[in-house]
Amino acid sequence: MPRYELALIVKAMQRADTAAALRRTVEALLERGAVVRDVENLGERLLPYRVSKHSALHTRGAYFTVDFYAAPDIATDLLDHLGRDVDVVRPTVLKKESAAPRGPCCGPGPSRPQGTGTGT
């Protein structure tokens, strides 16, 4: 299963309501066969611009990331489900790289043997 990250903004609410919205989101992932690896709270902050969602104008939101493994076809169904949740302001699913590429990629090239350069 590929690895994904859900970037989630929920509307500014009391802590218990925010936890309930996050719990609903994680349960929706689990119901669709996902394996949740990590949930990270990035805090509450001002939104970069006003967002109109579910007939309300939002200027603040709580930011979360959810790291999970799931089947490739889960994203559209999950975004449709989260789009109907009145507490979710903006859901975004991103595919993560499964592993960093191994081997030489960047950095210094092969070292020159001594005495071949025009040094002083």
Side-chain angles (χ1 to χ4, degrees), residues 37-94:
R37 291 176 37 101
D38 187 35
V39 177
E40 186 176 357
N41 182 356
L42 302 176
E44 186 176 311
R45 60 185 78 169
L46 287 172
L47 298 175
Y49 50 88
R50 292 180 299 195
V51 177
S52 177
K53 188 76 170 194
H54 301 290
S55 302
L57 192 62
H58 303 281
T59 57
R60 293 191 65 80
Y63 287 68
F64 294 92
T65 59
V66 181
D67 189 7
F68 64 97
Y69 288 104
D73 59 349
I74 194 175
T76 54
D77 184 40
L78 178 67
L79 289 175
D80 181 53
H81 175 77
L82 293 175
R84 286 184 265 121
D85 189 332
V86 295
D87 294 331
V88 174
V89 175
R90 178 74 40 94
T92 305
V93 176
L94 304 167

Side-chain angles (χ1 to χ4, degrees), residues 29-41:
L29 283 166
L30 295 175
E31 288 170 1
R32 288 159 177 77
V35 177
V36 177
R37 291 176 37 101
D38 187 35
V39 177
E40 186 176 357
N41 182 356

